[in-house]
Amino acid sequence: MTGRRMTSLLAYATAAATGAALLTGCGVLPGVSGGSREPLTVMTWAPDGTRATNMPGMPAMAQAYARWVNAEGGIAGHELRVLTCNEQNSSAGAAACARRAVRENVVAVVGSYSQHGRAFMAPLEAAGIPYIGGYGLSEDEFTSHLSYPVNGGQASLIAGHGMQLAESCRRVSLVRPDTVAGDRLPTLLNSGLQRSRHRTATDIPAVEDAGEYTEKASEAREKAGDDKGCVTAVLGERTQTFFDSFRRLPDSDDDAEVRISSVLGSVGQPLVDRTGGSRSPFEGAYVTGWYPDASDKAWTPMLKVIREHAFEDNRIDPADAGVQTTWIAYTVLKKAVESVGAEEVTPLRVARALDRGEEIDTGGLTPPLRWRYEDMLGATDFPRIVNSEVTFQVVRQGRLVAQKPGFVDVGETVRSAP
């Protein structure tokens, strides 16, 4: 073998070994071609492989975003490094992810999902790490001075859903998780219903990770009645399980007047597709969302990034509310880092950039976002909501489409909830 041939083979082996080492890193996405400044490390967490709601598309979207932005030279010259963590749908898991974020010296936690706000916000606050664009499940996301929500969370969805149902439903049954987070939902739904002087909904708590819901489904249908009755279920991934039980009830096919409904995150386009499209049991269902429907042209930049940098990663569905929230959260991070204008980006500098009123244009996916005191809703339990707009959607011919164009502001409804 010639010396040149040997040198070539050794160089190839070294490059291959280096690549393998990068690929086997636990939960770390290395940069593609970032800038010359110090790397920028962030974390995105979400539950995966659990018996309740799983959101693998959120960290996957974060990784695709990093590949894209690094291919463009990074954020303000900084290579973006994304750490991921499985939150496991538990307070212990959420706390563990937060502690790891502190150990890894991240500048922010971005576009993450957890209902265990008390468990993860305390470690982040102690370290001064901002939490940008969380999914909006926990009240702590709307009270902590270091949280920067991009939507109105479950509060705006549920209050808005009450407003949506009040226009069409005579009686409403609400099936929701029998958890601390779920306990707040009936009050919010009723605040929306009562904006139109509607009667309150029947509250039906249910086990979050049950294998079937026949008893709860029967109770919900009975309480809703068959005269313009509506059954709404907000059970995350188990919403499909609930409606499977619902449609199997005796004579349920004859109850044409019983309408089903939910909110994005519990029902979305991926679920409609999996359950038959236009033949899905969700055909005709009312759904309240935070953002425009997935066919809106405002999503074009995200779709381009997914197409070019997700490498056919089937965890990423562009119609998924978690994926969409992660995209918007990283849009906020990018703008905040660019506004810092310093060689070293720290958690404090990122938080200050957002606190001083840096306005974030999300290209029509939300209203312009800004977190000054005067921009906040100031609702008793959700003071840091800055985006109180939702969209009313409906499933028609197997597609989630706008029931009415544009956004609906539910700020006053959320603020009036007792």
Side-chain angles (χ1 to χ4, degrees):
M1 183 178 292
T2 67
R4 179 178 298 178
R5 174 70 169 166
M6 177 67 73
T7 301
S8 176
L9 286 173
L10 285 172
Y12 178 83
T14 300
T18 301
L22 290 174
L23 287 172
T24 56
C26 180
V28 181
L29 180 76
V32 178
S33 58
S36 60
R37 292 180 168 183
E38 285 297 310
L40 185 73
T41 304
V42 300
M43 177 177 281
T44 296
W45 63 55
D48 190 16
T50 74
R51 293 182 59 192
T53 298
N54 296 297
M55 285 286 180
M58 297 180 74
M61 182 70 242
Q63 292 172 327
Y65 187 96
R67 283 190 286 267
W68 166 68
V69 82
N70 288 334
E72 299 293 319
I75 301 179
H78 299 273
E79 172 194 331
L80 178 62
R81 298 178 67 242
V82 172
L83 309 179
T84 64
C85 190
N86 185 353
E87 180 267 359
Q88 300 178 347
N89 263 322
S90 70
S91 58
C97 287
R99 289 194 298 269
R100 181 183 166 211
V102 174
R103 290 196 306 272
E104 299 278 2
N105 297 313
V106 306
V107 300
V109 174
V110 188
S112 296
Y113 181 106
S114 178
Q115 61 179 307
H116 303 286
R118 292 182 184 178
F120 68 74
M121 279 309 311
L124 296 185
E125 287 176 344
I129 297 173
Y131 186 74
I132 301 174
Y135 192 83
L137 282 181
S138 71
E139 291 186 11
D140 300 76
E141 295 174 59
F142 300 98
T143 57
S144 172
H145 67 285
L146 281 173
S147 180
Y148 301 89
V150 299
N151 57 48
Q154 285 282 77
S156 66
L157 283 185
I158 301 300
H161 198 53
M163 294 172 62
Q164 184 179 18
L165 296 182
E167 299 177 1
S168 305
C169 307
R170 189 180 300 274
R171 287 193 292 173
V172 177
S173 294
L174 169 65
V175 184
R176 50 84 175 181
D178 190 7
T179 63
V180 173
D183 289 344
R184 182 67 175 162
L185 303 188
T187 299
L188 289 163
L189 185 75
N190 288 333
S191 69
L193 290 170
Q194 291 171 344
R195 294 285 289 181
S196 300
R197 302 182 184 277
H198 199 284
R199 71 176 69 186
T200 59
T202 300
D203 178 28
I204 304 176
V207 176
E208 188 177 27
D209 58 356
E212 61 87 28
Y213 291 94
T214 302
E215 181 180 344
K216 298 297 182 180
S218 180
E219 181 183 358
R221 192 179 70 179
E222 178 185 352
K223 298 296 185 182
D226 57 6
D227 182 13
K228 294 185 177 180
C230 290
V231 172
T232 185
V234 184
L235 293 166
E237 279 195 359
R238 295 293 171 164
T239 302
Q240 177 181 354
T241 304
F242 171 81
F243 282 119
D244 281 344
S245 296
F246 183 83
R247 66 188 179 87
R248 290 191 177 96
L249 292 175
D251 303 320
S252 62
D253 289 341
D254 297 331
D255 293 343
E257 293 300 317
V258 179
R259 199 80 175 253
I260 63 174
S261 71
S262 190
V263 298
L264 279 187
S266 288
V267 170
Q269 190 61 53
L271 176 56
V272 175
D273 293 341
R274 286 199 309 271
T275 55
S278 60
R279 296 182 299 278
S280 165
F282 295 100
E283 181 69 20
Y286 296 124
V287 179
T288 304
W290 291 304
Y291 317 122
D293 66 81
S295 64
D296 194 287
K297 64 181 181 181
W299 294 112
T300 300
M302 182 187 77
L303 295 174
K304 185 174 186 291
V305 168
I306 293 173
R307 184 172 61 252
E308 296 178 359
H309 296 276
F311 306 130
E312 299 183 352
D313 189 335
N314 59 15
R315 294 175 297 169
I316 302 177
D317 191 315
D320 177 73
V323 168
Q324 295 171 347
T325 299
T326 303
W327 168 261
I328 295 170
Y330 273 89
T331 300
V332 171
L333 173 75
K334 184 173 185 291
K335 182 69 172 179
V337 171
E338 289 171 344
S339 73
V340 167
E343 287 289 329
E344 182 183 8
V345 178
T346 65
L348 177 60
R349 285 174 172 165
V350 172
R352 281 180 174 172
L354 297 173
D355 289 339
R356 70 170 177 251
E358 187 67 36
E359 185 172 277
I360 312 296
D361 180 2
T362 63
L365 298 174
T366 69
L369 299 173
R370 192 163 51 181
W371 290 271
R372 300 175 304 174
Y373 178 79
E374 55 266 38
D375 298 313
M376 297 180 187
L377 182 63
T380 302
D381 294 322
F382 310 97
R384 289 184 67 83
I385 289 179
V386 297
N387 174 14
S388 57
E389 296 187 355
V390 300
T391 57
F392 290 169
Q393 302 177 31
V394 64
V395 181
R396 291 192 183 127
Q397 297 181 342
R399 304 301 301 173
L400 260 172
V401 298
Q403 184 187 16
K404 59 171 59 178
F407 293 95
V408 178
D409 193 335
V410 300
E412 286 302 318
T413 305
V414 174
R415 189 184 287 118
S416 66

